[in-house]
Amino acid sequence: MKPNSLLLEIIILGFGFLVRLIQLNGSFWLDEAAQALESIRPLAEQFDIAADFQPPLFHLLVHLMIQFNQTEWFLRLASLVPGLLTIWLTIRIGKRLFTHEVGLMAGILLASSQFHLFYSQELRPYSLAACLALITFWGWLDLMQSPKKISLLFFFAALSGLYTTYLFPVFLLSLLILTFIFYRPKTLFLGIYFLVFIIGFLPWIPSLIHQTNLGTSLAAAKPLWASIVSPPVIKMLPLVYLKFLLGRIPFDPNLLSMSGVGIISVIILAAFNRTRHKKSGPLVIGLSLLPILLGFIISLFVPVLDPKRVLFALPFLYLGIVAGLGKRFSSALVLALFLTINLWAVGLYATNPDNQREPWREAIAVLEADLPNDTLAIFAFTAPFAPWDWYQTRSLSTLSVTEPKTMSLINNQHIVFFEYLKPLYDPTDQIMANLENQGFFETGFYQYPGIGKMRVYAR
């Protein structure tokens, strides 16, 4: 590699690292705190994760890390390091399939992507799954483009991906479809690998069935929960596209914003049209679309498609766009447009608390500083929220309420009621009515982005 080429890669990775320091040590939100609480348990309990619809690999990784440090920034390295590696792999794949310039430009877009940035910080398995998908793809290319019969890289990356997230099979199935289309003589050969993958995943099948039964029963009992886990079917594909394009930024579907998205969509389609005529173009286009479409088909029966769960398609989307740009001045303007959108979204994430994670650490610290020792914390949920368990230090009494109408009598003089997730178990405000019937009156409230109101009562 030329020294200047290596320097450019280092600069891109350095930029990606710097922007991923934004809010890296911010508070854990609900899912991250639940992940931390599960991972801090003894090793023997790391496979007892029925309540978390995920395979165990990420739990084991975080369990290992938590033995050394429990701070937010350190534990999030479990996602940050794979995120940076994904940027580098995108650059290398772009060089291998097209040119080094294509790889560098795609790497710049991925490094500046607010969506990829966010999940490179999330204490959840999505960044690791994206990294393993690109490693798997590299091993798959070795098998397709050479006489090799065995690729340990392909085998271990794919099997690790299966143990990382349950939507990883849609990526592997996409590879199988592309093999049939472009490398048909090797389809049966790749099928043998898939048979080995199935055998390797068999030990986890009973746990998967248990998790599925638990998830479907919860969705049946609480239909709103299904919409929290995955958006409604009609919104799934547009939501994936908008999150990939704009990041985790609220989107107001007015005339101006829709026109802007329409123009960008035309640009992407034009770029894809040029990319598809290149030797490896259909591969990257296929891997930017097929996993999402397959996830959508599955979601017609089990709601699983969510933008973060198909994060592994984002690098291929950028490769497909950049490969079709060429070296014209207009192409430079297009690249600048996408980079501007990414940096705008990163700026909103850095400066607007509404676009950041729920600040449970700060909220609980304020509550503990202000509330008396006899305060009872009430949650409209099956248990105290995971961030409460992770951050609280005063061991205040708690009450979890799933049947508000039959809530037991309360002897405490002070109450703090969390409205967070209230629509799941108390959509008609029965808890507040019950408190008033027991002689409590509201004295004030605290409110934080994402968490909502924490109402304070006394009598």
Side-chain angles (χ1 to χ4, degrees), residues 19-35:
V19 297
R20 281 157 180 75
L21 293 180
I22 300 170
Q23 289 293 317
L24 183 64
N25 202 44
S27 171
F28 286 149
W29 77 289
L30 181 70
D31 282 6
E32 290 183 297
Q35 176 75 66

Side-chain angles (χ1 to χ4, degrees), residues 345-418:
V346 170
L348 289 180
Y349 173 59
T351 59
N352 189 343
D354 289 335
N355 297 323
Q356 298 166 4
R357 291 176 178 84
E358 301 157 0
W360 283 97
R361 181 179 60 199
E362 293 77 9
I364 292 172
V366 169
L367 288 178
E368 290 192 328
D370 291 353
L371 299 179
N373 290 330
D374 66 343
T375 298
L376 174 69
I378 298 181
F379 307 89
F381 200 59
T382 56
F385 300 133
W388 175 269
D389 284 340
W390 183 259
Y391 285 117
Q392 61 89 21
T393 60
R394 282 177 51 190
S395 300
L396 296 177
S397 300
T398 63
L399 175 64
S400 303
V401 180
T402 58
E403 297 294 338
K405 291 183 179 180
T406 60
M407 188 174 72
S408 58
L409 292 175
I410 298 171
N411 296 321
N412 300 66
Q413 295 300 309
H414 299 89
I415 300 290
V416 57
F417 170 52
F418 291 78

